[in-house]
Amino acid sequence: MTRLADLAELVRAPAALSVPGDVLSGAAAVGALGPRTPALAGASVLLYWAGMAANDWADRRLDAVERPERPIPSGRVRPAVALGVASGLTAAGLAVATAAGGRRAAAVALPLAATIWGYDLRAKNTAAGPAVMAACRGLDVLLGASGGRVVRALPAALTVAAHTWTVTALSRREVTGADRRLPGLTLAGTALIALTTPARPGPPATGPGRSGAAHAARLGDLVPAVLAAGYATRYGRAQARVLADPSPARVRAAVGAGITGLPALQGALTARAGARLLGLAVAGAAPLGRRLARLISPT
């Protein structure tokens, strides 16, 4: 009988802490935070776990050579079980998204699910792999924005997608190691993301009684800036280590830092949209994810 712990490893359960922030940042960007947002975040987690299970099912023969300790090649999870888990979680994710957000949410969740499966089954080992995975995360942000004017969430979606591209590009070198050009490129991308994420400038407050409001707004703008700086520092430091030593172990560590550091970036985006306390709460998933990653690898 398949153990729950083996299924948790199959779907890389702790890595799901990096997922709800997509939906929350998207909903915050369009002013659509509300009772349905947690359900959409739950649907996002289900689809993410489905993708992880499908990934291991698709890679079962390669993992038998490169990662024999993974659940399928080690014999702890049968391939048919992994495929069933992936299919069931996909159906559940689509059902929850549709129940929570109706047709507008389904219109995003369906292409999101298709892109996830497309990545696992076809695109992952091609040159398009990082871009397809980035599209998955961008669509995930737009799922949260499906209750409002989705176009307003495009900057947040592109930011999360850009970060995802850097992590996915590095992850393709987890076994073989990387040359120094790749971490140099991803590190530059991380720096650009961190610089462009903090609060967007607005018109200066003028006139009687507005100086206090302007001061409060400036203080509030520090929240996304601090969160973005924290994201860049931790993830950037891991990539800098790859620059110094592009070994597989360093690459895996950088990928892990990119996955567990994503909530800080999502928190910055959420705070930038005005939901500063929620942004801090989203960012709080980052240290928890790092602790859980010591028990179950997110990569």
Side-chain angles (χ1 to χ4, degrees):
M1 180 178 294
T2 304
R3 298 184 307 160
L4 183 60
D6 296 327
L7 292 177
E9 185 178 351
L10 176 74
V11 301
R12 297 166 176 83
L17 287 172
S18 72
V19 177
D22 288 343
V23 169
L24 294 173
S25 62
V30 301
L33 288 167
R36 73 179 199 154
T37 306
L40 290 176
S44 175
V45 169
L46 292 171
L47 292 174
Y48 181 87
W49 280 339
M52 292 294 102
N55 174 79
D56 271 27
W57 179 81
D59 279 358
R60 61 193 183 280
R61 294 183 180 87
L62 180 62
D63 283 347
V65 176
E66 295 183 346
R67 298 183 180 187
E69 75 281 0
R70 290 295 301 163
I72 295 177
S74 66
R76 290 177 288 132
V77 175
R78 291 187 294 111
V81 171
L83 182 59
V85 167
S87 301
L89 287 171
T90 299
L94 292 174
V96 171
T98 302
R103 292 181 179 179
R104 295 190 63 178
V108 181
L110 282 168
L112 171 57
T115 306
I116 290 171
W117 279 86
Y119 173 82
D120 287 332
L121 299 181
R122 299 290 297 177
K124 180 170 55 177
N125 295 319
T126 71
V132 175
M133 178 55 73
C136 290
R137 282 290 192 166
L139 286 168
D140 205 29
V141 174
L142 298 183
L143 178 62
S146 58
R149 293 182 58 192
V150 174
V151 67
R152 293 173 56 189
L154 285 177
L158 290 173
T159 298
V160 172
H163 165 78
T164 304
W165 185 93
T166 69
V167 176
T168 308
L170 285 169
S171 72
R172 291 156 69 91
R173 297 293 180 266
E174 286 183 312
V175 175
T176 62
D179 61 57
R180 288 180 171 81
R181 290 174 297 176
L182 177 59
L185 179 61
T186 61
L187 183 56
T190 298
L192 182 61
I193 291 167
L195 288 172
T196 57
T197 293
R200 292 161 292 184
T206 59
R210 296 191 179 180
S211 60
H215 179 66
R218 284 194 295 271
L219 288 177
D221 288 345
L222 288 176
V223 175
V226 169
L227 293 178
Y231 150 79
T233 298
R234 179 168 290 276
Y235 184 33
R237 186 183 296 128
Q239 293 171 85
R241 293 193 184 105
V242 179
L243 270 173
D245 174 16
S247 64
R250 288 285 177 89
V251 174
R252 285 193 294 271
V255 172
I259 294 172
T260 59
L262 179 55
L265 178 62
Q266 296 162 332
L269 292 168
T270 303
R272 184 181 74 177
R276 296 183 181 95
L277 290 179
L278 180 59
L280 289 171
V282 170
L288 177 58
R290 288 192 291 272
R291 290 187 179 185
L292 291 176
R294 298 170 188 168
L295 302 175
I296 299 177
S297 173
T299 68

